Amino acid sequence: MARAIVFLLAIGVSAPFVATTSADQTQKSSPQVDSQRLQKLHQRINRLLELHRRRQLNTWEHNPWEIMHYTLAYGVKSRVHLGGPGGPLRPAIGVLCFNISCAGYGTFEPWGELPIAREGAGAQGHPGQLLAILAQCRLKKDYPIVVQGRRFTVADLIESEKRSCQEGIELTFKLIGLSYYLSTKDTWVGADGQRWSIAKLLREEINTPVLDGACGGTHRLMGYSYAVWKRRREGLPMDGQFRRAEKYLQDYHRWTFKLQNPDGSFSTRWFAGPGDS
C-alpha cells in the first residue's frame, strides 16, 4: 500500500485514499469529508515516519542501499551514526556522497573522468537509482561528491548518468533523476553514440511493459510523472512522448482506484489486478 500511495501522490491525486462505503457510493463525498480523510491519513503517515526516525541507521551495520532508501523518507535532514549505533550523527546524504564506507561498501567508483554510483551488492540495484533518490531529496547540483580523494559534484554524476544511457537497459531511474535535473529541451550524446533526450527516455520506457518494472511498475510510472511534471513546469507543449506519458498516467490513475480494496488498501498484486493477500 505504501508504494501505491507514493505513486498516487507523485501523479497529483486529489481523490480520497480511503475506499467509499456502499452508502457513500450513492452520493459524492463533500470537499470537507475528503479533506478530513486526507488529514487523518497525513497524521497516520507522520506517526509512522516518526516511529522509524528513532530507529536511526549506522555505517557499521547498514550499507549504502539501506541508507539511500532511508533518505527517501527523511530527505536532506536524514542523519546516520558514524561507525556504529553510538557514533556521532552525520548527514546521511553526506555519508553517501563522500563515499564513506557503509557496512564495508562504498557508494561510488570512478568512471573515466566522472563518478558513477556502484551497482550490485550493498549499492544501488538499478542504473541511475542513486541520482533518482537525490532528485527526490531535491539535492542541489553543486553538492560535493568525493571519490578516491577526487572532488566532484552532483552535476558530474548527472553527466555520467547521461553518458551511460543505452537502448535495451532499464532506464526507469535515470528518467526520474534526469527529468528533475535537466530541461525537457536538453539533448546529449550517450556512450553508445546516440542522441538522447527526456523524450527519448520516455519513449524507451513507454515501449517497455509497465508491469515489468521495479516494484510492480511503480517506479516506471513515477518516471513518467516526473517527466510530465517537468514539462508542465517549463510551460512547454504536452506533445509527442509527453502526451503519451500523460495519458498512461491518467489511465493507470483510474485503474489503481479500481483495484482499491474495501478497507482502503491497494492491490497486493500492484497494477496487475485485484488482490488482498
Side-chain angles (χ1 to χ4, degrees), residues 93-171:
I93 286 179
V95 166
L96 293 171
C97 289
F98 280 73
N99 215 27
I100 293 173
S101 176
C102 300
Y105 296 100
T107 308
F108 292 96
E109 59 189 5
W111 189 58
E113 295 301 312
L114 296 169
I116 197 162
R118 290 180 50 253
E119 285 185 47
Q124 67 176 13
H126 310 268
Q129 186 177 26
L130 175 60
L131 183 66
I133 288 175
L134 298 183
Q136 290 171 80
C137 292
R138 298 174 176 82
L139 195 65
K140 294 183 178 180
K141 290 182 181 182
D142 60 358
Y143 193 87
I145 290 173
V146 178
V147 185
Q148 298 180 359
R150 299 168 62 188
R151 296 186 67 85
F152 303 96
T153 65
V154 171
D156 294 309
L157 177 61
I158 294 168
E159 190 62 28
S160 69
E161 293 297 350
K162 287 163 59 179
R163 294 188 191 180
S164 57
C165 288
Q166 297 179 53
E167 292 183 355
I169 69 168
E170 182 185 30
L171 296 167

Side-chain angles (χ1 to χ4, degrees), residues 5 29 63 99 105 145 159 189 206 238 266:
I5 288 175
S29 298
N63 60 42
N99 215 27
Y105 296 100
I145 290 173
E159 190 62 28
V189 177
I206 291 174
M238 198 63 64
F266 289 92

